[in-house]
Amino acid sequence: MTPSKPYLIRALYDWIVDNGCTPHLLVETKDERVRVPTQYVKDGAIVLNIAPGAVRDLLLGNDTISFSARFGGVAHDVIFPVSAARMIYARENGQGMSLPDEQNGGSDPDKGPTPPPTPGSGGRPQLRRVK
């Protein structure tokens, strides 16, 4: 199956915008394919405001995410692989989700699909607001 991550990003983006909130995307920047203004990277990650009024030409593709935006008044083209996206959430209330790491399609083909965590196993995802 195709990875679910780009579909989750698009669905949550629409949900956040439809509810009048500002979608923010947390992106890990260690991948050399990530093109963002490096002066805004902190601890190997950047938080991007991807609201319709903040970006131009937003493309939430299956393989890459790209747009144009102004950072400190200077226009930049931003592009990165979907695999670098770690979280999407609403700035106003922190609602959203951590995104799955889908290397190899989300599971190890030798082991089969990864089963969901059992209750009390500590494997439950945690969402934290990143400032």
Side-chain angles (χ1 to χ4, degrees):
M1 289 185 69
T2 60
S4 62
K5 191 174 198 174
Y7 296 91
L8 292 170
I9 292 171
R10 287 190 291 268
L12 286 164
Y13 173 86
D14 287 342
W15 174 68
I16 292 167
V17 171
D18 286 352
N19 281 282
C21 293
T22 309
H24 280 203
L25 199 57
L26 176 68
V27 178
E28 192 173 80
T29 59
K30 68 181 178 182
D31 187 319
E32 68 274 355
R33 298 172 294 168
V34 175
R35 301 283 183 248
V36 297
T38 56
Q39 65 268 36
Y40 296 97
V41 172
K42 184 176 180 185
D43 298 326
I46 187 169
V47 176
L48 300 167
N49 175 352
I50 57 171
V55 300
R56 280 192 359 220
D57 303 322
L58 177 63
L59 173 64
L60 299 174
N62 286 342
D63 299 316
T64 60
I65 296 174
S66 64
F67 57 87
S68 296
R70 297 181 87 65
F71 293 81
V74 179
H76 290 273
D77 290 327
V78 174
I79 186 166
F80 53 91
V82 169
S83 61
R86 294 290 173 242
M87 182 182 299
I88 184 169
Y89 63 95
R91 176 183 67 200
E92 292 78 4
N93 58 21
Q95 289 189 18
M97 73 179 290
S98 294
L99 298 164
D101 184 10
E102 292 188 335
Q103 292 175 343
N104 299 324
S107 65
D108 184 339
D110 295 330
K111 294 182 182 176
T114 305
T118 57
S121 68
R124 187 170 177 209
Q126 296 291 320
L127 180 64
R128 293 182 291 136
R129 185 171 184 172
V130 178
K131 292 186 179 183

